[in-house]
Each structure stands twice: as structure tokens, then as C-alpha cells.
């Protein structure tokens, strides 16, 4: 049995750990609410751009744009959105597991796909497996603004236009609520599944021409799809971290409880033993 | 005078939501003036200032970095990747960006970066102009 002192040390250190996890949980909770409001303020932009894209792409059948056409797939791009740090429960591992499984199912050789990593954990995961991400961004702030991710997002869309890959999937964690986040696979490019959200399509006059507008509009649309996924992923990350830290705090409390019990038992045993010794000593004197 | 609603939306949230009498913007095909009752229209914008005439001879300038403009029955929406009202422009950052871009252009490296630096320079100059109230 551990000595009283050993147990005491363990209780103190567990208490300190639980204070830290508790603090991290509260930090994540406040970051989550900010992330949620960021995601919310992005909605009007996304809705609007979707509406206009739909009305142009569906409204006039004869418009063509490289981004709307599926071409024979020689190479697939995977955009993987993870966090930079761990301590977020299964957040990163479930995304990575799912994308890695998909890659192994779909491809036989490394020449058939490329990986773009947003987040340190994802980048390192593929590096360990001998796949160097062709583009990666780490150190994104917790509340990324569009300007923060503009570079990588534009690069990702440009690489498709340049023919580096013929389709692009993104993997991220979709935020359902604070306790549920689902790993989501979404095909970003080519833009084949444009749907009209409102149903009513306005007929516009195009200045100068539908083709030239699509030239501006479609990259912007694809970029906002990715940015939207990133915001979604960030909200999930904070939610996952909050839950993970909540669990850690609960576990620490449970551990402290059982250690305290053990400590009290040991203390009681020591007292009992002392009394027995004194009584034994006194009996020997009589 | 008849007014119409103008929305300027960016990925970081709405920037402007107001009623105006006249809106003038730089489209890629040239300057564009819009008043109430305009036909539905979509046009890509240049990096430039959007002037909102609010009536009573009051007007406001908004720096818009690209994007496009959509007009439909008495409702104008501008979707841009970045937009700031004159009073919200971070002047120090714009000045710094302008200097950085100018330095880059003088060094003259490869083509892609050159184009990016040029765009950055235009965005920064646009912000500075809007801040100073010049069109």
C-alpha cells in the first residue's frame, strides 16, 4: 500500500491538473461561442453568392466554364482541415482516419493524389506516412478572418485551374452542436452540384457577359466554400476541445475522490495500528 | 427622391446595410451608376471605391476589393472578399501594405508574384484614397 505521503502528493498533483483542464474548458467554451457567431456572420455571404451562381449557371444553359466541367480524373486533391494542437479528443484522429481510409480505398499509387493540409496535425500525420503535403498552412488564428486564409484558399483553387488535380475533395468536421461533430467529405471542384437555394431564379442582365462574370464569380464561390468549411471546422475544434477538457476534469475529480478515500483508509489504519501498539505495550507492563 | 436598399457583404460579415438614392461603382467594364428601379444586373467590380449617396447631399465611400455587384428590384448587393467603410480603414496597415507592394515591384521577381504585388498595391492605394475621401 502506498504511503500516506505518496497519496497526498498524487491528490495535490491531480487537483492542479484538474484546475488546468477546467480553465482550458472555459477558454474553449468562449472560443466556441465566438466561432459560432463567426460562422453565423458568414451565412448571408454564402447564401447570396450561391443564389447568384445558381441563377447564372442554371439560368443560361449555354455558359461554359472549366470549373463547371468534370474532366477525366488523373489526380485527386484532398484538402484536409485539422487543428494545430491536440488535446481535442478524437477531433483530429477521426478526420484523419476517415480521409486516410478513403485515400487507400480509392488509390493504389501515390501519383494519383495530392494532399493539402490546413493545420499542423494533418500535415504531420501525412508526413509520417511519407506523403508530403503540396501546400500547407499552420498557425491559423482561432477566429480566422477571410484575409488570414485568402492565400491558401486561392492557391488551392488555382491549382485546380492549372491542372494540378482534376477534382478536389475537402475533409473537415461539421459542427452539429456542442457535443456532436461529424466528419464530412465534400467535393469542392469541379462545381457540379450547384443547387438553387431559394428556387426562384432571377433573370439578370450581364455586364459584360455571363462568361466573364463566371470568371470572377466561380473562383470566389469555390474559395468561400472552403472558407465556410474552415469556419465550421474551427467551431467543431473548439467544441471537441471543450468536451475533451470537460471529460478530463470529470476524470480528475473521480480520481481525487478515490484517492481521498484511499488516503483516509490508510490514515485510519495507521491510527489503529498505533493504538494496538500502545495497548499491547501497556498490557506487557502489567 | 426614391431610395433603395444596399447591402455590402463580405465573408467576415455584412459591412453596409442602408438605403441610398444613388450608388456609383467601378465595374470591370467601366463606371456604373445605379438608381432605384434599375433592371436586374450582375457585374464584376474592379478594386475601387463605391460611393453611396444618402440624400441631403450626404455621401459615403466604401473601399471594395473586387467581387461583384448584383441588382434586383430595388435591392443592390455587393459581394466582395473585403470591404471597409472609410472610417473603419486601418490606415497604418494600408500604408505598410502599399510600401511592401512597391518594394516588391521594384525588385521585380517572377511573373505570378509580380501580378499579386500589383493587386496588393491597388488594394492598398484604394484604401488610402477612400480614407482621404478621394474617388
Amino acid at each position: 500500500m502506498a504511503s500516506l505521503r505518496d497519496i497526498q502528493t498524487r491528490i495535490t498533483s491531480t487537483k492542479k491538473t484538474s484546475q488546468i483542464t477546467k480553465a482550458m474548458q472555459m477558454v474553449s467554451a468562449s472560443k466556441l461561442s465566438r466561432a459560432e457567431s463567426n460562422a453565423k456572420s458568414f451565412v448571408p455571404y454564402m447564401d447570396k453568392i450561391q443564389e447568384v451562381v445558381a441563377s447564372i449557371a442554371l439560368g443560361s444553359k449555354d455558359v461554359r466554364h472549366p470549373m463547371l466541367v468534370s474532366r477525366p480524373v488523373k489526380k485527386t486533391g484532398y484538402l484536409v482541415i485539422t487543428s494545430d494542437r491536440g488535446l481535442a479528443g478524437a477531433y483530429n484522429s477521426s478526420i484523419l482516419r476517415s480521409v486516410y481510409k478513403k485515400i487507400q480505398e480509392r488509390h493504389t499509387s501515390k501519383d494519383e493524389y495530392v494532399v493539402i493540409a490546413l493545420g499542423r496535425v494533418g500535415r504531420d500525420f501525412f508526413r509520417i506516412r511519407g506523403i508530403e503535403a503540396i501546400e500547407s498552412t499552420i498557425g491559423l488564428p482561432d477566429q480566422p478572418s477571410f484575409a488570414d486564409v485568402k492565400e491558401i484558399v486561392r492557391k488551392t483553387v488555382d491549382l485546380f485551374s492549372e491542372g494540378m488535380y482534376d477534382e478536389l475533395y475537402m475533409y473537415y468536421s461539421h459542427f452539429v452542436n456542442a457535443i456532436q461533430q461529424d466528419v464530412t467529405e465534400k467535393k469542392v471542384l469541379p462545381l457540379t452540384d450547384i443547387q438553387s437555394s431559394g428556387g426562384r431564379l432571377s433573370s439578370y442582365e450581364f455586364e459584360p457577359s455571363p462568361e466573364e462574370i463566371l470568371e470572377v464569380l466561380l473562383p470566389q464561390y469555390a474559395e468561400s466554400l472552403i472558407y465556410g468549411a474552415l469556419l465550421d471546422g474551427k467551431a467543431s475544434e473548439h467544441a471537441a476541445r471543450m468536451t475533451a477538457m470537460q471529460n478530463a476534469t470529470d476524470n480528475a475529480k473521480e480520481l481525487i475522490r478515490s484517492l481521498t478515500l484511499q488516503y483516509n483508509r490508510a490514515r485510519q489504519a495507521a491510527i489503529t495500528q498505533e493504538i494496538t501498539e500502545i495497548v499491547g505495550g501497556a498490557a506487557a507492563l502489567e | 427622391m426614391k431610395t433603395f436598399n444596399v447591402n455590402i457583404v463580405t465573408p467576415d460579415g455584412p459591412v453596409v446595410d442602408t438605403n441610398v438614392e444613388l450608388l456609383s461603382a467601378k465595374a470591370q467594364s467601366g463606371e456604373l451608376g445605379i438608381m432605384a428601379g434599375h433592371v436586374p444586373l450582375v457585374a464584376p467590380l474592379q478594386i475601387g471605391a463605391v460611393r453611396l449617396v444618402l440624400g441631403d447631399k450626404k455621401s459615403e465611400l466604401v473601399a471594395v476589393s473586387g467581387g461583384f455587384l448584383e441588382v434586383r428590384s430595388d435591392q443592390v448587393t455587393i459581394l466582395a472578399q473585403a470591404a471597409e467603410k472609410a472610417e473603419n480603414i486601418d490606415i497604418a496597415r494600408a500604408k505598410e501594405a502599399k510600401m511592401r507592394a512597391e518594394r516588391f515591384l521594384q525588385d521585380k521577381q517572377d511573373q505570378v508574384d509580380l501580378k499579386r504585388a500589383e493587386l496588393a498595391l491597388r488594394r492598398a492605394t484604394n484604401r488610402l484614397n477612400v480614407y482621404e475621401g478621394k474617388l
Side-chain angles (χ1 to χ4, degrees), chain A residues 51 204-205 207 217 223 227, chain B residues 29 40 42 68 70 72 81:
Chain A
E51 199 180 306
Y204 294 106
E205 216 165 88
E207 177 73 36
L217 191 56
E223 285 168 18
Y227 180 62
Chain B
S29 47
V42 178
F68 61 95
E70 184 220 16
R72 62 164 63 184
Q81 301 203 321

Side-chain angles (χ1 to χ4, degrees), chain A residues 142-209:
Chain A
D142 282 319
Q143 324 290 344
S145 70
F146 190 72
D148 294 324
V149 294
K150 203 168 63 186
E151 288 287 311
I152 179 92
V153 164
R154 182 159 300 163
K155 197 87 197 227
T156 309
V157 175
D158 282 352
L159 284 175
F160 174 81
S161 311
E162 287 161 12
M164 179 77 186
Y165 34 75
D166 307 296
E167 53 179 359
L168 175 69
Y169 289 95
M170 62 183 174
Y171 280 82
Y172 64 101
S173 181
H174 171 60
F175 176 78
V176 183
N177 54 41
I179 46 167
Q180 197 192 348
Q181 300 93 36
D182 298 334
V183 177
T184 311
E185 179 202 63
K186 195 165 179 181
K187 190 174 184 179
V188 189
L189 291 166
L191 297 159
T192 42
D193 58 341
I194 294 172
Q195 279 146 13
S196 139
S197 48
R200 69 199 159 97
L201 299 176
S202 346
S203 53
Y204 294 106
E205 216 165 88
F206 300 110
E207 177 73 36
S209 69

Side-chain angles (χ1 to χ4, degrees), chain A residues 42 45 118 137 139-141 143-154 223 227 230-231, chain B residues 10-13 65 80-84 93 100 123 127:
Chain A
F42 174 68
Y45 178 82
L118 270 176
T137 296
L140 282 176
Q143 324 290 344
S145 70
F146 190 72
D148 294 324
V149 294
K150 203 168 63 186
E151 288 287 311
I152 179 92
V153 164
R154 182 159 300 163
E223 285 168 18
Y227 180 62
L230 182 71
L231 288 181
Chain B
T10 69
D12 297 323
S65 306
Q81 301 203 321
E84 290 110 10
R93 203 182 134 206
R100 200 172 341 114
R123 282 196 298 267
R127 286 200 174 100

Side-chain angles (χ1 to χ4, degrees), chain B residues 13-132:
Chain B
V15 177
V16 172
D17 183 4
T18 177
N19 284 317
V20 305
E21 286 183 354
L22 171 77
L23 175 149
S24 89
K26 274 203 192 82
Q28 278 182 2
S29 47
E31 194 97 11
L32 204 64
I34 290 164
M35 296 172 86
H38 198 284
V39 289
L41 169 86
V42 178
L45 295 180
Q46 289 181 31
I47 296 169
V50 171
R51 178 184 288 278
L52 306 170
V53 180
L54 303 162
D56 301 334
K57 294 203 173 128
K58 270 197 298 183
S59 76
E60 214 173 321
L61 281 181
V62 183
V64 174
S65 306
F68 61 95
L69 169 134
E70 184 220 16
V71 187
R72 62 164 63 184
S73 54
D74 288 342
Q75 162 76 46
V76 174
T77 313
I78 293 177
L79 291 169
Q81 301 203 321
E84 290 110 10
K85 281 190 185 181
E87 66 260 31
N88 295 338
I89 287 174
D90 185 342
I91 199 75
R93 203 182 134 206
K95 271 188 185 145
E96 197 188 304
K98 188 179 172 188
M99 257 155 53
R100 200 172 341 114
E102 276 169 347
R103 211 177 322 124
F104 209 85
L105 284 175
Q106 274 165 7
D107 288 351
K108 287 218 173 80
Q109 290 173 357
D110 62 296
Q111 279 297 315
V112 185
D113 285 354
L114 213 63
K115 208 173 157 197
R116 252 179 35 204
E118 246 166 55
L119 284 175
L121 180 62
R122 272 169 56 197
R123 282 196 298 267
T125 320
N126 176 39
R127 286 200 174 100
L128 293 175
N129 284 344
V130 168
Y131 185 77
E132 285 154 15

Side-chain angles (χ1 to χ4, degrees), chain A residues 73-80 99-116 125-126 129-134 164-169 171:
Chain A
V73 177
K74 290 197 282 295
K75 216 168 195 175
T76 309
Y78 290 95
L79 175 72
V80 184
V99 62
Y100 196 62
K101 206 173 127 220
K102 264 277 148 48
I103 287 180
Q104 288 189 319
E105 269 171 30
R106 281 189 194 145
H107 309 289
T108 46
S109 108
K110 276 185 184 170
D111 303 328
E112 290 175 12
Y113 61 90
V114 288
V115 171
I116 297 168
F125 174 89
F126 284 105
R129 283 157 184 79
I131 304 161
E132 192 64 37
I134 51 164
M164 179 77 186
Y165 34 75
D166 307 296
E167 53 179 359
L168 175 69
Y169 289 95
Y171 280 82

